[in-house]
């Protein structure tokens, strides 16, 4: 009975101070996705941008005039090559293919 009460007190204390006793991985994944959200109009910083040299490896045709393809934070995007402004977000990619 004492062990049960001690465990209940520990869980209640952890809940009050916002500590999770169970790591389900969901919160950390959601937080990572929230930090790496890629949006149209955003400028792709050089450290976050991988310029695609072989669009066909991603199932894409040639670059459209006035834009190039790239990967920013795991998202396939079309960007303005001069300003690095994201023109469209195409889809998530699992890995860099070129």
């Amino acid at each position: 009975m004492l062990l049960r009460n001690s465990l209940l007190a520990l869980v209640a204390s952890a809940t009050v101070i916002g500590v999770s006793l169970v790591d389900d991985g969901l919160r950390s994944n959601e937080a990572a996705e929230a930090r790496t959200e890629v949006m149209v109009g955003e400028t792709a910083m050089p450290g976050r941008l991988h310029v695609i040299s072989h669009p066909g490896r991603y199932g894409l045709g040639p670059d459209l005039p006035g834009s190039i393809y790239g990967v920013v934070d795991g998202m396939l995007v079309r960007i303005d090559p001069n300003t690095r402004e994201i023109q469209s977000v195409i889809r998530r990619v699992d890995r860099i293919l070129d």
Side-chain angles (χ1 to χ4, degrees), residues 29-60:
N29 288 343
E30 288 174 352
E33 286 179 15
R35 284 190 308 269
T36 60
E37 185 175 336
V38 178
M39 299 183 65
V40 172
E42 173 184 358
T43 300
M45 301 310 289
R48 295 174 56 202
L49 172 65
H50 169 79
V51 176
I52 293 175
S53 56
H54 301 286
R57 293 182 183 171
Y58 296 85
L60 302 168

Side-chain angles (χ1 to χ4, degrees), residues 5-17 19 21:
N5 289 343
S6 296
L7 184 56
L8 289 174
L10 178 62
V11 171
S13 297
T15 302
V16 168
I17 63 172
V19 175
L21 297 177

Side-chain angles (χ1 to χ4, degrees), residues 73-93:
D73 296 336
M75 298 300 290
L76 184 60
V77 296
R78 190 171 54 88
I79 64 170
D80 180 302
N82 299 315
T83 64
R84 294 188 322 274
E85 180 180 332
I86 297 174
Q87 298 171 328
S88 61
V89 178
I90 301 169
R91 68 174 178 272
R92 178 163 296 285
V93 292

